[in-house]
């Protein structure tokens, strides 16, 4: 498997250890020692996934994430020394896809990146796979979502969650099911991340948001037979 990874961390030893692990797996690795350099490297190269530290000089990880999300849906994995739910929620609000705490378990980090890379690869190849419900058109090969022919920008986790809901049209999906499917069994955050992403998806779907229903004390479902 090959991919283009940007590793951003001001701690040289940590950055080099992570970089070596990914190079050994066949990835093309770019490095940056601070937030400002990260933006420059990202803009000059076709980066697929960013592994991004939170606490850095010149520009912190949150600011880098916010800047990049304004123009790209590249995969972002945030690294932090703090195992804090409020930090994780802020990251997901900004569009972080995965969250890994320090000290970094390289095998877990590699597994998460590979899973993200697989999703990207699946979005590029294979036979045309289009889902169309309620005027929402999802092209799983192109990794796009369109409403009325106009593409809407979704972060990777938002896209996966919308696809999961629509592919299970009419079925109630618990928050636990959604967490396990979209974030993985090794995710240790709480259910609020699901609610946060649903809120963002609804906002982006605009007049099609009524298709996503909240099932009190359980979770959510997409119902293509919904009426305004």
């Amino acid at each position: 498997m090959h991919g283009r990874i940007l590793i951003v961390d001001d701690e040289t030893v940590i950055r080099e250890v992570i970089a070596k692990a990914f190079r050994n797996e066949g990835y093309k690795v770019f490095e940056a020692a601070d937030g400002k350099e990260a933006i420059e490297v990202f803009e000059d190269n076709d980066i697929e996934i960013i592994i991004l530290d939170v606490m850095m000089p010149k520009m912190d990880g949150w600011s880098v994430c916010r800047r990049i999300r304004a123009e790209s849906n590249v995969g972002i994995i945030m690294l932090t020394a703090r195992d804090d739910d409020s930090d994780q929620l802020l990251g997901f609000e900004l569009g972080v896809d995965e969250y890994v705490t320090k000290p970094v378990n390289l095998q877990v980090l590699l597994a998460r990146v590979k899973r993200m890379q697989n999703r990207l690869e699946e979005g590029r190849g294979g036979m045309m796979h289009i889902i169309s419900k309620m005027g929402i058109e999802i092209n799983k090969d192109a990794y796009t979502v369109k409403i009325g022919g106009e593409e809407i920008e979704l972060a990777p986790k938002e896209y996966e969650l919308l696809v999961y809901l629509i592919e299970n049209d009419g079925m109630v999906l618990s928050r636990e099911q959604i967490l396990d499917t979209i974030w993985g069994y090794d995710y240790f955050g709480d259910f609020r991340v699901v609610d946060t992403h649903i809120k963002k998806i609804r906002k982006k779907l605009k007049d099609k948001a009524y298709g996503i229903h909240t099932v009190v004390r359980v979770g959510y479902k997409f119902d293509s037979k919904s009426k305004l």
Side-chain angles (χ1 to χ4, degrees):
M1 175 180 292
H2 301 281
R4 295 176 299 282
I5 311 293
L6 170 59
I7 300 170
V8 189
D9 198 310
D10 63 318
E11 296 185 56
T12 304
V13 173
I14 292 176
R15 189 178 68 250
E16 290 181 349
V17 167
I18 295 174
K20 181 179 179 181
F22 278 96
R23 288 191 178 103
N24 288 342
E25 292 292 320
Y27 288 88
K28 183 174 183 180
V29 178
F30 300 83
E31 298 181 44
D34 59 63
K36 183 179 179 183
E37 184 182 3
I39 295 295
E40 293 172 353
V41 173
F42 175 76
E43 291 179 344
D44 290 342
N45 298 277
D46 185 16
I47 303 296
E48 293 178 298
I49 296 173
I50 303 174
I51 299 171
L52 179 63
D53 189 28
V54 173
M55 302 303 295
M56 295 183 296
K58 298 185 182 179
M59 182 185 293
D60 65 22
W62 305 128
S63 300
V64 173
C65 181
R66 188 180 290 109
R67 172 83 171 270
I68 288 174
R69 271 291 172 259
E71 60 184 76
S72 173
N73 284 329
V74 64
I76 298 177
I77 297 177
M78 190 71 82
L79 301 180
T80 180
R82 296 177 55 188
D83 187 7
D84 190 318
D85 283 348
S86 62
D87 265 10
Q88 294 193 33
L89 286 171
L90 173 59
F92 288 129
E93 284 279 358
L94 293 176
V96 173
D97 300 299
E98 300 279 356
Y99 209 96
V100 175
T101 56
K102 292 180 177 180
V104 176
N105 182 315
L106 285 176
Q107 293 305 310
V108 170
L109 183 58
L110 283 164
R112 292 193 180 192
V113 168
K114 287 179 180 180
R115 184 175 66 182
M116 187 178 291
Q117 187 71 17
N118 282 333
R119 293 196 297 262
L120 292 172
E121 293 296 331
E122 288 170 1
R124 296 190 188 108
M127 297 178 62
M128 184 69 73
H129 189 179
I130 294 178
I131 305 169
S132 185
K133 302 269 187 175
M134 284 177 48
I136 302 170
E137 182 181 284
I138 298 174
N139 185 329
K140 294 184 69 176
D141 295 329
Y143 217 73
T144 59
V145 178
K146 293 182 180 180
I147 296 177
E150 182 178 346
E151 185 172 343
I152 63 172
E153 294 293 328
L154 295 176
K157 278 288 187 286
E158 295 167 7
Y159 171 85
E160 291 176 46
L161 178 50
L162 179 60
V163 170
Y164 184 49
L165 289 168
I166 289 181
E167 286 187 331
N168 290 279
D169 187 6
M171 292 180 59
V172 176
L173 302 172
S174 70
R175 288 177 175 84
E176 183 175 5
Q177 284 177 287
I178 293 171
L179 271 181
D180 288 346
T181 301
I182 306 302
W183 279 270
Y185 292 99
D186 57 350
Y187 174 72
F188 294 109
D190 61 30
F191 293 146
R192 287 177 295 174
V193 67
V194 176
D195 301 331
T196 296
H197 279 68
I198 290 289
K199 181 179 179 181
K200 294 173 76 172
I201 291 170
R202 281 172 167 160
K203 183 177 180 180
K204 292 179 180 181
L205 291 181
K206 298 180 180 178
D207 62 346
K208 300 297 183 182
Y210 68 90
I212 299 177
H213 296 256
T214 300
V215 182
V216 179
R217 292 191 294 276
V218 180
Y220 298 93
K221 75 171 180 177
F222 182 87
D223 188 350
S224 61
K225 297 181 175 61
S226 299
K227 302 292 184 182
L228 274 172

